[in-house]
Amino acid sequence: MKLNKKHYKLFKDECKKWIETFGLREYSFAYEFTELKDAFATSRTSYDGKTAFLKLGTDTGTLLDHNKDINGLIKEWALHEVLHVVLNPLFELSIARHAAR
């Protein structure tokens, strides 16, 4: 299924809602609507730089049934990607060489 600018706006608005809910004010967020391979949405976060880059794919391929609630799925993807940002400090600490055993 091809996604459009309306879907992208929903994704961004939903991300912003969750960013505000989780109080991620110290991060700088950027968004992109682009072709993705093997994902509906992705995120990349720099804990040190306090930046996060959230992407929504332009096409869901044949993985989704056209009868599914695409808006509901986009809202779930937005929450999922923002949760990556929320959990990033814990992930960074878990792989740090200086973390105590």
Side-chain angles (χ1 to χ4, degrees):
M1 174 180 187
K2 295 280 186 188
L3 299 182
N4 57 42
K5 290 181 182 180
K6 180 180 167 186
H7 295 122
Y8 178 54
K9 181 180 181 333
L10 174 63
F11 178 77
K12 283 177 56 175
D13 289 347
E14 197 68 16
C15 285
K16 290 175 183 179
K17 176 185 92 173
W18 288 112
I19 288 164
E20 185 64 30
T21 299
F22 290 117
L24 298 171
R25 292 177 193 88
E26 71 274 13
Y27 281 85
S28 174
F29 287 87
Y31 304 89
E32 188 175 356
F33 186 45
T34 188
E35 182 179 335
L36 298 174
K37 294 187 186 290
D38 302 324
F40 302 122
T42 64
S43 61
R44 188 177 62 221
T45 305
S46 168
Y47 177 68
D48 292 334
K50 297 292 186 196
T51 59
F53 195 50
L54 308 175
K55 295 183 183 182
L56 177 66
T58 55
D59 194 339
T60 64
T62 58
L63 297 175
L64 292 179
D65 180 342
H66 290 286
N67 295 325
K68 294 212 178 198
D69 173 21
I70 189 66
N71 290 340
L73 290 171
I74 290 170
K75 289 179 179 183
E76 289 178 14
W77 299 337
L79 171 59
H80 177 96
E81 298 311 326
V82 172
L83 284 173
H84 278 289
V85 179
V86 170
L87 295 173
N88 183 261
L90 181 61
F91 173 76
E92 292 290 329
L93 181 60
S94 72
I95 62 171
R97 289 186 296 162
H98 65 272
R101 289 183 167 201

